[in-house]
Every structure is written in structure tokens, then in C-alpha cells.
């Protein structure tokens, strides 16, 4: 019996070593692929970032009318509320990623016999999982790496796919709105230029009319003294022509001034709307880019196809569970071990056992999480900068319009009270 036990243990060690070598080979192959595409991806990613920074920068256009100033102050308050909501959502995601990193630190602090015990459990889970997968004669386009990634968010995949589709549709709508607003701005600029040209034409006509009338009066005086002819009717006709022409020029000039004032108000409204749309566009693009990186997908359609393949893979797994009891026992043991270490989320490591076996895999996970945290920090900094800029615009509006200070402050105070009453308490 002792001979057979030693032989069985030796066979078990050989299987474990083979499994570990295979896992390391896969990781090395994946790292080589990542290194090959890293340089090209970085170059491609830099140029759109610089472009978007200029394209989505807010425009500062202060209204001159009192009514427009109150409306502008209300729009600034509403924009601040939108930014605050976005910051709160990003901070919640940031805390989740931070908790994950703290769990990794707690696992790294495990040493000695506990470390060996933890790796034995993880190695057994990986081996049993591999044996179970060998039972499957599957033909799927999804890789094991993609399955492990989606397993982390299995309960939220349907919701996340729907959110990605909605975000892509929303992005198309935002792009359409931005294009329409830019066209409206071009149209208004053209209208203002046309009004200026009309006004200049009226000025030239007025000068010509004045010269013509004076010339006629001089001509009539010369004819009168030279020929002693009655010039009463020509004088009256000239006066009538001057009066009618002056009236027409005056009416047209007033119409041009009204049209110019209306065009200015429309331009202020278009710029204000465009500023809000740009903020929404940047936030929506950040959310899309983050989710694409988070789930390793290109777009909503790719995400849905990947999810379909993932569902098939999970269905196959349910059909072949001959070793489920043993695997569940090791999972429970791992879960109990991690709970003793006071981890925030123990369940997530059920799909990350290779990281518990191989330190290099743990480094990869930590690197990915740090990248996510950096991206989330940039989102928070962007929104805080936008909020600061809007507050400075409101302060500038109040300082430059002291006669309308009370009305603007009343609008800000009303929005502030409304936002505080409707805000949810933070945990």
C-alpha cells in the first residue's frame, strides 16, 4: 500500500508540474503577442486624444442681455449637477477597483505554510478545471482568456451589453447634435456677415443719396438764376425723394439692427448648448473606452457575439460535471481561506486561480487594475476641471454684471437648494 501511495503522489506531482509549465507557456505566449501590438496601439491612441481635447473644449461666451444672463446661470448650474453625477459614478467604480488591488496586497502578504497551502488549493482547482474542459468537444470562437474575463462580470453581462448599445446610440445622437449645432453656428455667422454687408450697403446708398440731392439743389439754383425759370416743383420733388429715401434707409437700418441682435442671442444659445453637448460627449466616450477595455471588446455587436459564445461554453460546462463535487470542495476551501484573510471580494478569485499559482499572472492583473484606476482618475480630474471652469464662468458673469448680480445669485441659490434636496446621501 505504501508503494502505491508513493507512486500516486509522484504521479500527482508530475501532473501539477505539467499544469504549471503549460500555464507559464501560455502566459509567455500572450505577453509576446501583447508586446508586438503595444507600440502600434500607443501611436494610434495618442493622436485621437489630442484631437478630442481641442474638439470638446468648452467655449466661453458671456451673454449681454439680463434675461440671457439668468438663463445662462441656470444652464451652468444644470451642467454642474450633470458633472457631479458623473463624478459620483466614476468614484464608485474607482473604489471597486481599489478594493480589488487591496485584496491582491493581502494575498501577497501570505507566506510560509499558508502560501504553499493556498497554491496547492489553487493548483488543484486549475487542474480539475482543465480536466473538466477536456471532457468538452466544443467548437467555439471564444478563448479561455475571454471566458475567464467575462466570468468576473457574469451576472452583469446582459446589462453591460445593453448599456454599451445605449452608449453607442447615444454617441451617434451626440455627434449628430454637435454637427447640427456647428452648422447652426456657421449659418448664424453667415447671417451676421450678410447683415453687416447690408448695413454697409445702406451707408453707401445714404452717402450717394446725399451727394445726389445736394447736386440737384445746386443744379436747380444754377438753372433758376441762369434762365429765370420757376424751379418750385423740381425742388419739391427732390425734397420728396430725399424724404422717401431717408425713411426707407432708416427702416431698413433698424431691421438690420434687430436682426443682428436676434442673431447674437441665437449664437449665445448655440454656443451654450454646444458646450453642454461637448461635456456629455467626452464623458460618454470615456465610459465607452473604459468598458471596451474592461471587457476586451470592440463594440456592442462584438460584445454580444462574445457573450453568445460565452453562454454556449457555459452550457457545455453544465453537461460535463463528473468531478463537480471535488472541485466544489476545493472552491469552498479556497473561499474559506480568503475570508479568513478578510478580502473584500472573495468570489472573484474563483476565476483567477492561475494568479494564485503564478506570480507573473498576478502582476498582469495588478497592471491592468492600475491602468483602470489611472483612466478613472483622469475622468475624475477632467470633470472636476470642467466644474471649476463653469464655476469661474458664473463668478465672471456676476462680476461683469453687478446690476444683475441679485437675479443671478437668486438663480444659483435656487438651483443649489434644488440639487441638495434631490441628491442622494453618500455612504
Amino acid at each position: 500500500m505504501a508503494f502505491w501511495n508513493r507512486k500516486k503522489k509522484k504521479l500527482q506531482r508530475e501532473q501539477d508540474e505539467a499544469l504549471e509549465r503549460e500555464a507559464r507557456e501560455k502566459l509567455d505566449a500572450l505577453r509576446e503577442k501583447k508586446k508586438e501590438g503595444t507600440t502600434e496601439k500607443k501611436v494610434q491612441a495618442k493622436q485621437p486624444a489630442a484631437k478630442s481635447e481641442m474638439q470638446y473644449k468648452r467655449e466661453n461666451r458671456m451673454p449681454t442681455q439680463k434675461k440671457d444672463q439668468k438663463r445662462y446661470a441656470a444652464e451652468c448650474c444644470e451642467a454642474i449637477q450633470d458633472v457631479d453625477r458623473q463624478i459620483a459614478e466614476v468614484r464608485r467604480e474607482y473604489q471597486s477597483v481599489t478594493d480589488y488591488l487591496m485584496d491582491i496586497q493581502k494575498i501577497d502578504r501570505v507566506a510560509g505554510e499558508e502560501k504553499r497551502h493556498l497554491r496547492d488549493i489553487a493548483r488543484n482547482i486549475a487542474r480539475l478545471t482543465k480536466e473538466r474542459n477536456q471532457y468538452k468537444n466544443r467548437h467555439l470562437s471564444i478563448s479561455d482568456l475571454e471566458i475567464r474575463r467575462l466570468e468576473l462580470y457574469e451576472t452583469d453581462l446582459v446589462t453591460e451589453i445593453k448599456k454599451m448599445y445605449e452608449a453607442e446610440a447615444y454617441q451617434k445622437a451626440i455627434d449628430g447634435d454637435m454637427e447640427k449645432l456647428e452648422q447652426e453656428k456657421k449659418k448664424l455667422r453667415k447671417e451676421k456677415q450678410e447683415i453687416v454687408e447690408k448695413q454697409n450697403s445702406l451707408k453707401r446708398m445714404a452717402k450717394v443719396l446725399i451727394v445726389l440731392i445736394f447736386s440737384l439743389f445746386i443744379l436747380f439754383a444754377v438753372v433758376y438764376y441762369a434762365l429765370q425759370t420757376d424751379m418750385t416743383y423740381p425742388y419739391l420733388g427732390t425734397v420728396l425723394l430725399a424724404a422717401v429715401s431717408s425713411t426707407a434707409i432708416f427702416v431698413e437700418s433698424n431691421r438690420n439692427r434687430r436682426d443682428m441682435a436676434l442673431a447674437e442671442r441665437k449664437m449665445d444659445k448655440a454656443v451654450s448648448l454646444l458646450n453642454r453637448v461637448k461635456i456629455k460627449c467626452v464623458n460618454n466616450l470615456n465610459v465607452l473606452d473604459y468598458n471596451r477595455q474592461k471587457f476586451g471588446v470592440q463594440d456592442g455587436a462584438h460584445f454580444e457575439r462574445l457573450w453568445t459564445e460565452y453562454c454556449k461554453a457555459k452550457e457545455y460546462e453544465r453537461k460535463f460535471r463528473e468531478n463537480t463535487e471535488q472541485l466544489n470542495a476545493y472552491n469552498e476551501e479556497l473561499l474559506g481561506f480568503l475570508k479568513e484573510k478578510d478580502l473584500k471580494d472573495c468570489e472573484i478569485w474563483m476565476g483567477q486561480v492561475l494568479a494564485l499559482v503564478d506570480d507573473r499572472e498576478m502582476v498582469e492583473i495588478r497592471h491592468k487594475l492600475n491602468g483602470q484606476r489611472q483612466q478613472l482618475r483622469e475622468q475624475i480630474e477632467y470633470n472636476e476641471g470642467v466644474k471649476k471652469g463653469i464655476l469661474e464662468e458664473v463668478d465672471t458673469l456676476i462680476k461683469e454684471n453687478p446690476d444683475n448680480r441679485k437675479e443671478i445669485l437668486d438663480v444659483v441659490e435656487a438651483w443649489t437648494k434644488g440639487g441638495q434636496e434631490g441628491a442622494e446621501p453618500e455612504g
Side-chain angles (χ1 to χ4, degrees), residues 83 87 91 379-389:
V83 171
I87 290 175
R91 286 189 186 278
Q379 291 185 42
I380 293 172
E381 290 173 0
Y382 168 77
N383 284 284
E384 288 178 344
V386 170
K387 181 178 178 180
K388 181 181 178 182

Side-chain angles (χ1 to χ4, degrees), residues 26 36 67 69 91 154 241 312 387:
K26 288 183 178 179
E36 291 175 0
K67 181 174 67 174
Q69 291 168 3
R91 286 189 186 278
E154 183 174 2
L241 174 63
K312 291 180 181 179
K387 181 178 178 180

